[in-house]
Amino acid sequence: MDRIRIVGGNSLQGTIPISGAKNAALPLMIASLLTPKTLTLENVPRLADVSLLVRILGNHGVDYSVDGKRVGDTQMAGNTIHLSAADIVDTTAPYDLVSKMRASFWVIAPLLARTGKATVSLPGGCAIGTRPVDLLLMVLKALGAKVEIDSGYVIAEAGRGLRGGEIEFPKVTVGGTHTALMAACLAEGTTLVRGAACEPEVVDLAACLTKMGARIRGAGTPTIEIEGVTSLGPARHAVLPDRIEAGTYACAVAMTGGDVVLEGARPELMQTGLDLLAKAGAQVSSTNSGVRVTRNGAGILPVDVETAPFPGFPTDLQAQFMALMTRAAGRSRITETIFENRFMHVQELARLGAQISLEGDTAIVEGVARLRGAPVMATDLRASVSLVIAALAAEGETIVNRVYHLDRGFERLEQKLADCGATVERLAGS
Ligand code: EPU
């Protein structure tokens, strides 16, 4: 297994190109199941999760191709991919594939909407909590599907097609909202969704579905209306930039000091995070090409944070912000409200010298003057990258194990950091 070696202490200077968003690319790719025509996606990040989803979609009959390099493409340019589900050949998503990536459970909605049936393995727990799918199943039932659970599989049927319905989410769920959008756009009649997630990735999926011919109003607000159509057609859509990747590098610059332009980042997708970084002592500004983050001279100030659905502070940046707070001049409180068990990075950050205690859903971080490199590992991708951020500011060498977590969600992480002056390299596993 590959590892990443980091020697801390360098400030970051330069430009980091921001890739397409993993959490937008995955549902967009899944939406290809809704049409027999070709869905072309641009700016698709090169990530292990994307490759795995290509395999999963292939199992259902989706043909996949990727454009070769074009004149003027840089190494960092996203891929343009074509997905064609002319015929759905298999409506079962097996355990061995779904268990590797939770988001693949979302195939249930387009399979059901297009073919009237879907058998999808329950995804099971994961490192950040139990993560049930009850609200996703609620959506399918509200649209008239018969849903049963048998031997670890969800079996959903709608022999005469899905019908529009009313859905009211008791809590904000991104996956539930994606499911509602994909299921309702081919249902007969109109669907009203209340309590919908407003995340930019939901808006991106709705925009792409609209290009395919879906009739959707209100995406990006808590109330979405979807008028069903009988079929969807081809479309071409560019994946939006990854606000979590951008926020992660912004935390890294705030941590190490320096001056970096996050090329392609869209500040309006990450305003809460940028405001908190400014409070912590970084200077943040919008430029023509993205977002510029600098921290020169001054230290890091402690800032309290609570995660919340968009436009609040994202849970997917909680670990990275905690890494930053480990070096703040004082105490900060970081509260996780989305997932019940998303603090695995705490113990590993402690190996680098961080002082963090847990009180229920809140981590209390006492900033320390120095972190020291150490071997570390983590159990999910955001936790892993928080260790990278801490390591960039730690004295000496840190080895981050289980790099496959990083490869799931961060494209060319070591290269992007090394290009800005960090001492970081990948050690090939034996
Ligand atoms: N929930 C339920 N029942 C459900 C669905 C969700 O109780 O049927 C709960 C979850 O357990 C959680 C909360 O609702 O407590 C929110 O979960 P949500 O459904 O919004 O999460 P998700 O759609 O499974 C996506 C991202 C996550 C991100 C969350 C929250 C993708 C592929 N995943 O997950 O990203 O943390 O939204 O913003 O889009 C990551 O990229 O590292 C990651 C975990």
Side-chain angles (χ1 to χ4, degrees), residues 22-23 26 102-103 106 128 130-136 171-176 178 199 315-316 338-340 342 380-382:
K22 167 181 86 77
N23 289 351
L26 299 177
R102 280 190 57 84
W106 300 341
I128 62 177
T130 51
R131 301 185 78 186
V133 291
D134 55 323
L135 300 176
L136 282 64
K171 68 155 83 158
V172 174
T173 157
V174 173
H178 288 327
E199 267 65 7
T315 174
D316 291 346
I338 309 289
F339 293 108
E340 77 271 26
R342 207 174 194 181
D380 86 277
L381 74 151
R382 311 303 177 190

Side-chain angles (χ1 to χ4, degrees), residues 118-398:
T119 303
V120 179
S121 167
L122 282 165
C126 80
I128 62 177
T130 51
R131 301 185 78 186
V133 291
D134 55 323
L135 300 176
L136 282 64
L137 303 187
M138 178 191 89
V139 167
L140 304 179
K141 289 179 196 159
L143 299 186
K146 206 172 109 229
V147 178
E148 275 173 30
I149 296 178
D150 187 23
S151 309
Y153 279 78
V154 176
I155 303 161
E157 275 176 21
R160 276 181 275 135
L162 293 170
R163 291 188 314 272
E166 293 211 1
I167 296 159
E168 175 139 15
F169 287 114
K171 68 155 83 158
V172 174
T173 157
V174 173
T177 308
H178 288 327
T179 302
L181 285 173
M182 288 194 270
C185 62
L186 286 182
E188 193 188 326
T190 301
T191 298
L192 190 64
V193 184
R194 293 203 184 85
C198 302
E199 267 65 7
E201 294 74 20
V202 167
V203 179
D204 210 35
L205 175 63
C208 178
L209 291 171
T210 302
K211 289 179 191 166
M212 292 162 75
R215 299 203 182 128
I216 300 170
R217 271 197 305 270
T221 75
T223 305
I224 305 180
E225 200 179 288
I226 306 133
E227 202 187 312
V229 294
T230 48
S231 65
L232 294 175
R236 188 177 188 98
H237 183 80
V239 179
L240 92 173
D242 196 322
R243 62 194 170 104
I244 303 301
E245 188 198 25
T248 298
Y249 291 124
C251 286
V253 180
M255 183 70 156
T256 61
D259 186 345
V260 169
V261 172
L262 306 168
E263 197 176 56
R266 282 172 44 190
E268 74 279 13
L269 304 185
M270 47 192 295
Q271 203 52 55
T272 309
L274 294 177
D275 290 348
L276 287 168
L277 283 174
K279 271 195 182 168
Q283 287 84 50
V284 178
S285 56
S286 298
T287 72
N288 288 342
S289 60
V291 173
R292 181 175 173 202
V293 182
T294 58
R295 186 174 69 78
N296 297 316
I300 301 163
L301 301 170
V303 179
D304 293 345
V305 178
E306 186 168 313
T307 62
F310 189 83
F313 185 79
T315 174
D316 291 346
L317 272 181
Q318 179 255 108
Q320 299 88 316
F321 201 81
M322 192 183 301
L324 174 64
M325 288 298 108
T326 63
R327 295 272 326 272
R331 172 186 297 179
S332 57
R333 296 169 63 85
I334 299 182
T335 304
E336 172 59 53
T337 70
I338 309 289
F339 293 108
E340 77 271 26
N341 181 27
R342 207 174 194 181
F343 282 136
M344 291 81 49
H345 40 286
V346 166
Q347 284 204 354
E348 296 299 301
L349 287 169
R351 293 175 57 76
L352 299 173
Q355 285 188 16
I356 308 170
S357 57
L358 288 178
E359 272 179 21
D361 62 1
T362 299
I364 296 139
V365 187
E366 300 286 350
V368 294
R370 293 187 334 171
L371 297 173
R372 277 265 173 82
V376 287
M377 70 165 71
T379 43
D380 86 277
L381 74 151
R382 311 303 177 190
S384 301
V385 86
S386 78
L387 300 171
V388 170
I389 291 173
L392 289 171
E395 288 172 10
E397 178 183 280
T398 296

